[in-house]
Amino acid sequence: MTRKFFVGGNWKMNGDKKSLGELIQTMNGGKVDSNVEVVCGAPSIYLDFVRSKLDSKFGVAAQNCYKVPKGAFTGEISPAMIKDCGVNWVILGHSERRHVFGENDELIGQKTAHALENGLGVIACIGEKLDEREGGITEKVVFAQTKVIADNVKDWSKVVLAYEPVWAIGTGKTASPQQSATQLAEDQRSVTGATCKELASQKDVDGFLVGGASLKPEFIDIINAKA
């Protein structure tokens, strides 16, 4: 069975109740393709707010979670807490979690397992850095990241695999549709209202994980890219 076209919006550490409320109004009032599954990744402090305001046809995701239900882990949130806010998705393994906060493959695998065991859908991110790409080890890196995730997945219907070419971030380089077509989701920094239709037309691309553009009205255009 073919998965619905999937569009995730990763809002990262951006927004406040005023600006996110305006974005939510735009999304709620926009005409969107009913054949697309849309999930918005909100900052954890706003999960309750976003879920209560955003139309139920849109999903909401936390941007991270920890690998256990509760305990002395200051600053972390658990899948149980996420679900208690009415939220059913989590983004795991994002490049910023890996390379800014030092999360390794093993930890991301453990988080994936715990999130799935607790009924969350997982947007699992993979991707190589510039030096890894230029060193010719892209496949090795992406395979290792994917294997640790795959080893912890029993039901792939609850998982979206998002390929994020980290080498395209802040380097002036851009991932072409062909470079991303072997993956399930295009990098958020390559997807804009201007590029979304071309990217969506690639036969092996069945979704996007969108960063900055998901905070703008053009996010509606990206959601409708396949239409």
Side-chain angles (χ1 to χ4, degrees):
M1 184 177 71
T2 304
R3 183 196 293 275
K4 265 182 142 181
F5 198 77
F6 183 96
V7 177
N10 182 9
W11 296 348
K12 305 193 179 185
M13 197 177 72
N14 292 298
D16 52 26
K17 286 186 177 180
K18 182 177 184 297
S19 63
L20 294 180
E22 291 169 353
L23 175 62
I24 288 167
Q25 279 190 326
T26 298
M27 291 186 64
N28 288 349
K31 186 177 180 181
V32 296
D33 186 349
S34 61
N35 294 314
V36 178
E37 184 169 10
V38 182
V39 176
C40 296
S44 59
I45 197 168
Y46 295 131
L47 286 174
D48 242 336
F49 172 78
V50 172
R51 184 61 287 171
S52 68
K53 302 291 185 183
L54 192 62
D55 193 288
S56 60
K57 66 176 175 280
F58 301 116
V60 177
Q63 297 174 11
N64 192 32
C65 71
Y66 200 49
K67 63 180 181 178
V68 295
K70 60 183 179 180
F73 303 104
T74 302
E76 294 289 344
I77 59 174
S78 70
M81 292 173 175
I82 292 167
K83 290 195 72 178
D84 197 35
C85 291
V87 172
N88 295 314
W89 286 89
V90 65
I91 301 170
L92 294 175
H94 191 279
S95 63
E96 291 154 6
R97 298 305 314 175
R98 294 176 186 271
H99 305 306
V100 177
F101 298 101
E103 296 187 6
N104 60 29
D105 289 345
E106 182 182 10
L107 176 59
I108 292 162
Q110 291 169 339
K111 288 182 174 187
T112 299
H114 184 61
L116 291 171
E117 286 167 4
N118 283 269
L120 288 180
V122 173
I123 302 170
C125 303
I126 56 174
E128 81 282 17
K129 296 185 294 182
L130 181 60
D131 60 333
E132 293 166 337
R133 184 173 186 82
E134 292 181 341
I137 59 171
T138 291
E139 289 189 11
K140 178 181 178 181
V141 170
V142 174
F143 176 83
Q145 293 173 347
T146 306
K147 185 178 187 305
V148 173
I149 292 167
D151 287 347
N152 288 284
V153 175
K154 296 175 183 176
D155 179 7
W156 283 96
S157 70
K158 302 279 288 183
V159 180
V160 172
L161 197 61
Y163 171 62
E164 179 189 24
V166 187
W167 51 270
I169 303 170
T171 63
K173 303 174 187 289
T174 303
S176 71
Q178 291 73 30
Q179 286 169 323
S180 298
T182 57
Q183 309 299 336
L184 294 182
E186 173 64 22
D187 169 53
Q188 61 260 39
R189 290 165 185 81
S190 298
V191 183
T192 65
T195 63
C196 60
K197 286 191 179 296
E198 181 188 3
L199 293 166
S201 70
Q202 301 297 311
K203 67 177 183 178
D204 292 324
V205 172
D206 67 358
F208 305 130
L209 179 57
V210 187
S214 69
L215 289 158
K216 302 173 183 177
E218 69 184 275
F219 190 45
I220 298 292
D221 297 328
I222 296 171
I223 292 170
N224 294 328
K226 197 76 172 175

